[in-house]
């Protein structure tokens, strides 16, 4: 958890959606929402358990449409030996019709 804190994973945004409310611990004086790192750590452990339970690593897709997460997605996919589709644009049918030609 210290690495999450050191990498500023606890800093959210000024906008808060209703889906994120359970994961926010409080709001700072400058209006930035602070993410609950304990809840984040529990979700990371859950994701790790799910990834480990998958037999074939090629069945895993790592996706990040935000520029800040693309490098992390590519590095993680290399570490796990799975496919990375981190780009700002998704081709229609990428997940549902994967037999189509790549553009």
């Amino acid at each position: 958890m210290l690495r999450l804190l050191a990498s500023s994973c606890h800093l959210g945004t000024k906008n808060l959606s209703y889906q994120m409310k359970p994961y926010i611990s409080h709001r700072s004086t400058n209006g930035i929402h602070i993410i609950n790192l304990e809840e984040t750590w529990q979700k990371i452990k859950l994701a790790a358990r799910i990834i480990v339970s998958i037999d074939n690593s090629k069945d895993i897709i790592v996706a990040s449409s935000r520029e800040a997460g693309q490098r992390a997605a590519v590095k993680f996919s290399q570490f796990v030996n799975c496919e990375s589709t981190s780009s700002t644009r998704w081709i229609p049918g990428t997940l549902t019709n994967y037999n189509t030609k790549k553009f």
Side-chain angles (χ1 to χ4, degrees), residues 7-60:
S7 63
S8 300
C9 286
H10 64 290
L11 299 177
T13 61
K14 290 187 177 185
N15 298 331
L16 178 65
S17 66
Y18 70 94
Q19 293 114 340
M20 286 301 295
K21 281 185 182 179
Y23 305 106
I24 301 297
S25 66
H26 64 279
R27 190 174 184 175
S28 68
T29 55
N30 59 357
I32 295 176
H33 292 90
I34 306 299
I35 298 171
N36 184 353
L37 286 183
E38 183 62 37
E39 187 71 29
T40 303
W41 182 246
Q42 295 300 325
K43 295 296 181 181
I44 289 172
K45 289 192 318 187
L46 176 64
R49 286 190 203 114
I50 292 169
I51 290 170
V52 167
S53 69
I54 298 173
D55 294 330
N56 186 3
S57 64
K58 295 295 181 186
D59 291 338
I60 301 170

